[in-house]
């Protein structure tokens, strides 16, 4: 799947959540990404029409989904749900979809947000898209291309 990406390429990244998905758009040329407005989800299911409009607008070459493994690297129920979402993305939009271990991305996003003067009331001032930005930038710099169908234990 990695061989199908053009050079340079762009990606749309996701920080999976049950109530909200963080989004970020990144480019291989610069190795950077930008946070986009998050989208709401209902029990982990996004508004597929809204997501389709976002993908049509940004036209990414690939999709990257952060997988929230436990700190010891073990798989959690949220890890399984995030991978299920990644597989649905791939099937629905026919774009290469990759997984990225995202341990501590939300913690780091909260820290960065507070350093920038943001509040610690994350329900009012969410950091999901900042976490997605960190996931995308980590994925771009990591170089590993783990397809969405990979067993989670191999992350």
């Amino acid at each position: 799947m990695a061989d199908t990406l053009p050079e340079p390429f762009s990606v749309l990244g996701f920080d999976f959540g049950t109530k909200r998905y963080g989004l970020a758009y990144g480019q291989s040329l610069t190795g950077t990404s930008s946070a986009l407005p998050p989208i709401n989800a209902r029990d982990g299911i996004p508004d597929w029409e809204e997501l389709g409009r976002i993908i049509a607008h940004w036209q990414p070459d690939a999709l990257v989904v952060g997988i929230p493994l436990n700190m010891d690297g073990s798989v959690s129920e949220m890890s399984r749900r995030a991978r299920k979402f990644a597989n649905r993305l791939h099937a629905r939009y026919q774009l290469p979809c990759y997984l990225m271990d995202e341990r501590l991305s939300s913690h780091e996003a909260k820290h960065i947000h507070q350093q920038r003067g943001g509040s610690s009331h994350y329900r009012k001032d969410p950091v999901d898209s900042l976490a997605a930005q960190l996931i995308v930038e980590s994925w771009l710099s990591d170089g590993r291309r783990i397809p969405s169908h990979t067993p989670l234990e191999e992350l």
Side-chain angles (χ1 to χ4, degrees):
M1 194 181 290
D3 296 337
T4 64
L5 292 178
E7 282 295 335
F9 61 87
S10 63
V11 298
L12 187 63
F14 298 86
D15 178 42
F16 176 82
T18 57
K19 296 181 181 181
R20 190 173 39 252
Y21 284 81
L23 299 174
Y25 179 79
Q27 301 176 28
S28 66
L29 187 62
T30 61
T32 61
S33 68
S34 299
L36 302 175
I39 62 170
N40 290 326
R42 176 176 263 188
D43 194 28
I45 300 170
D47 178 337
W48 290 108
E49 285 185 31
E50 180 181 8
L51 192 50
R53 286 190 296 275
I54 291 167
I55 289 172
H57 174 77
W58 289 98
Q59 299 184 353
D61 297 302
L63 307 169
V64 177
V65 176
I67 301 296
L69 298 173
N70 291 321
M71 287 307 295
D72 64 2
S74 62
V75 176
S76 67
E77 180 58 29
M78 285 296 281
S79 306
R80 289 182 191 89
R81 292 180 73 180
R83 189 186 66 184
K84 185 175 182 180
F85 168 69
N87 288 333
R88 285 182 176 166
L89 275 175
H90 173 69
R92 187 175 286 255
Y93 300 107
Q94 298 300 302
L95 288 168
C97 190
Y98 300 96
L99 306 178
M100 182 67 196
D101 178 355
E102 61 130 320
R103 279 178 278 186
L104 295 178
S105 65
S106 293
H107 178 76
E108 185 178 352
K110 289 175 183 177
H111 179 73
I112 291 169
H113 178 72
Q114 287 183 341
Q115 281 186 321
R116 293 178 180 170
S119 77
S120 59
H121 299 288
Y122 303 115
R123 287 184 185 216
K124 287 193 226 175
D125 202 4
V127 295
D128 307 280
S129 290
L130 180 53
Q133 181 180 359
L134 296 171
I135 290 165
V136 168
E137 289 179 0
S138 293
W139 185 83
L140 288 169
S141 68
D142 182 67
R144 294 184 320 142
R145 304 291 182 248
I146 302 169
S148 61
H149 62 274
T150 303
L152 293 175
E153 293 76 16
E154 294 181 22
L155 289 179

